[in-house]
Amino acid sequence: MVCLLYCTKSLIQDTMPRIPFFLACLACLLPWCGTPARAQVSATLSGTVSDPSGAVVSGAGILVKNEDTEAVRKTITDPSGRYQVSALPVGRYEVRVSQSGFVDEIRTGINLVIGEDASVDFTLRLGKSSQQVTVNEDAALVNVTAADISGLIGERQVKDLPLNGRSYDELLTLSPGVVNFTAEKIGGIGVSNSTVGNNFAVAGNRPQQNLYLLNGIEFTGAAENNMQPGGTSQELLGVDAVREFNVLRDSYGAEYGKHPGAQVLIVTQSGTNELHGSLYEFLRNNDLDARNFFDGASAPGFVRNQFGAALSGPIKKNKSFLFGNFEELRQHLHQTGVDLVPDTNARNGYLPCKLASPAATPCPASGLSFVGVSPLISAWPVPSPGAPDFGGISEALNTPLQTIRDDFGNVRLDQILTSKDSLSAVYTV
């Protein structure tokens, strides 16, 4: 039994009841607790074992070992020489096949990814079982058991590719049929027809029709009918917490659904037997920014700091593993605005007029008294230097400050109970 406990809390819209954490853990121990999520966040390894003549080998021992955690799964081949090991966490694996009268064969370097059904076949050689043959070869990435159209974004792509704002959902466009629809969205932040996150149209479907699953559990944003998660910065934080994700486009199995668009499967990092840590900060500012057509004499101020830390390792070697990550985004952005204000002549009591001759400037005084309204006129910003004059009206440039703070945290505990039972608990804020 593989049991998955997942809790999430949004800083924008907290809909999770404040129930004690241990009660949720007890509920997770129910036999059915991990069944739906298990197929969506794990992988399956299967294949056939044969001898040099091509005849199948039944009763052969299959030992599958996770190279990161030393977790072991065992099975034997059936009368047809086939084996299958399901609900394997994503990661690197080693497979050993042994049978009396044959040389043991070991296949290493098998990298299983999220949702994969990998097929690895073995041909045993005649010889003593004390001998062994080791082959370092990855399993084929072609899924031969289903007709899913998917786009895997692996760990190396998530971690190494440059991302503006470190929003890993921008990598969705690496898959065919995916269009970033963010510039076309309408409505304000948080209203029913919009969202703070990025929008993606997949295979012609609306952005609202996509479903995002984090460790097999629905992962949504703050809007009522838009499923794209994201913070007020419009970034989806958590690059260091995400191991990989997969985009299922059109034809996917019955374990997925609820929305007709893409199914985006995201799996977080797990701890291993080795201690790893990182401390980071990313800085972006306007020092090298060019001013645009509407800016004043210089580009408006902009400072973005993204900093955080990640730590993973064993609590008890080969048994308990912990991963934690915290990331914060702080942004101070000035954006150029233009206000229409009374020009200098209007402030001095000269109103616009139609001149009889271009030489007859300036307009004659209007004779109006500004004693009562001059305080109101003075409340308007003064025109910016060099601003155009539109006959009584000019422009005043301004750069209001927009301040954004986003926080992201993720903690994952993996416990190997026995060779057949494991527990994973994830808390994301």
Side-chain angles (χ1 to χ4, degrees), residues 200-224:
F200 298 91
V202 182
N205 292 287
R206 294 186 178 185
Q208 295 89 343
Q209 295 175 324
N210 299 327
L211 183 66
Y212 296 81
L213 300 173
L214 182 62
N215 295 318
I217 307 298
E218 190 171 336
F219 187 35
T220 65
E224 295 176 9

Side-chain angles (χ1 to χ4, degrees), residues 267-288:
V267 62
T268 57
Q269 288 279 9
S270 301
T272 65
N273 277 326
E274 297 183 1
L275 185 64
H276 294 281
S278 63
L279 184 66
Y280 53 88
E281 178 176 6
F282 296 85
L283 171 65
R284 181 182 173 190
N285 55 37
N286 65 310
D287 287 349
L288 299 178

